[in-house]
Amino acid sequence: MKLVFAGTPEPAVPALRALLDSGRHDVVAVVTRPDAQAGRGRRVVRSPVGALADEHGIEVLTPARASDPAFLARLTELAPDACPVVAYGALLPQAALDIPRLGWVNLHFSLLPAWRGAAPVQAAIRAGDEITGASTFRIVKELDAGPVYGVVTEAIGATDTAGGLLGRLAESGAKLLLSTMDGLADGSLVAREQPAEGVSYAPKVTVEDARVSFADPASAVDRQIRSVSPDPGAWAEFRGERFKLGPVTVLDEPGPPPGEIVVERKRVLVGTATKPLRLGEVQAPGKKRMAATDWARGTRIDQGERLR
């Protein structure tokens, strides 16, 4: 089939690569978010999807809005059979949805109808789900509500972070998206409407959402930290400044009061509403990320001091 692929960040790259490497479909163009500033030098750089398209000599479209008349005109000229989408990052108007013969087919990193929205992987970890996955579905006007073509499942491990789990889903989801395109091409695949029950939503995670409350149970704190690692990154306040936290370990032993820090020779503990946590990597203001024990050795921590 003739395809126009839409996607922006790194997790979308495996899917585009799978389509390009298959030799069974013709990716005539890529739609991605406009080039943006990145890094300390604030250089303007291409998105990861756009960079891969450049390597393959594929036309890259970067509309500020998918409703731009010039973009819609070019998409009409390209006349794609279908538009596979992975984390494009912008709303698609009905005028764009109507152009491809077989519609826009989204790869979404959850088992729909669970966790519709921008942050399904983070939501699944924070909620304590044991199983998640990826789904391909035809995009409709309502958020992530279109009929589903296929799914793959993935177990959520006890130490999985959002970054690690998303990386696995990006690879397995790429295979799912390719098989979905194959099935649409030969007419063997039929979409099924999502059930009305079991719908849940996963809005974009903000920096404030990543603030840790040690008044919560240890298991909830652990899941929250893993759900926002590496981005936007968990944090609490220490001595009135933001203190970043990497994944922790829940300990099955008595611990200090919620938020209180206990420094031992080979470990640094912090209390919660239930069990204590052993801190892993931390990042104090103005410092590099380091092991909590190294941070504690260089910081005079008074008895009773807390992360808040």
Side-chain angles (χ1 to χ4, degrees), residues 104-288:
W104 294 66
V105 179
N106 193 32
L107 171 64
H108 183 75
F109 298 117
S110 81
L111 298 176
L112 292 170
W115 304 127
R116 296 175 180 176
V121 173
Q122 295 93 326
I125 292 176
R126 188 164 184 166
D129 294 353
E130 295 181 353
I131 299 291
T132 188
S135 308
T136 50
F137 70 96
R138 180 166 52 82
I139 295 179
V140 297
K141 188 174 181 179
E142 186 180 350
L143 177 67
D144 297 337
V148 173
Y149 289 107
V151 299
V152 292
T153 59
E154 181 78 32
I156 301 178
T159 60
D160 269 336
T161 63
L165 179 56
L166 182 57
R168 297 204 307 274
L169 288 171
E171 295 294 338
S172 60
K175 298 175 183 177
L176 172 64
L177 185 62
L178 175 58
S179 67
T180 299
M181 292 299 106
D182 292 345
L184 289 175
D186 64 22
S188 63
L189 197 57
V190 178
R192 296 186 177 184
E193 294 295 332
Q194 295 183 34
E197 64 277 2
V199 176
S200 54
Y201 292 94
K204 183 178 179 180
V205 176
T206 67
V207 171
E208 192 58 37
D209 293 331
R211 182 172 188 170
V212 175
S213 170
F214 293 99
D216 292 336
S219 58
V221 175
D222 167 51
R223 293 196 306 268
Q224 181 192 8
I225 292 173
R226 290 188 290 112
S227 76
V228 294
S229 297
D231 184 55
W235 62 280
E237 282 192 358
F238 178 68
R239 296 176 179 172
E241 294 187 285
R242 186 172 296 182
F243 184 83
K244 296 182 179 180
L245 300 160
V248 296
T249 302
V250 178
L251 302 177
D252 190 13
E253 60 186 69
E260 185 171 314
I261 302 167
V262 174
V263 178
E264 299 180 351
R265 184 168 175 269
K266 293 186 177 181
R267 60 183 191 172
V268 179
L269 309 183
V270 61
T272 72
T274 54
K275 301 174 181 178
L277 302 173
R278 186 178 71 225
L279 298 183
E281 288 191 330
V282 301
Q283 186 174 4
K287 303 291 185 180
K288 294 181 179 180

Side-chain angles (χ1 to χ4, degrees), residues 18-61:
L19 292 169
L20 294 173
D21 291 347
S22 74
R24 298 193 292 276
H25 304 284
D26 182 16
V27 181
V28 296
V30 157
V31 185
T32 192
R33 298 295 294 150
D35 298 353
Q37 293 181 333
R40 289 188 175 181
R42 309 307 292 166
R43 294 185 303 108
V44 176
V45 296
R46 186 77 100 182
S47 74
V49 164
L52 180 59
D54 289 339
E55 291 176 16
H56 287 263
I58 297 170
E59 180 179 356
V60 177
L61 307 174

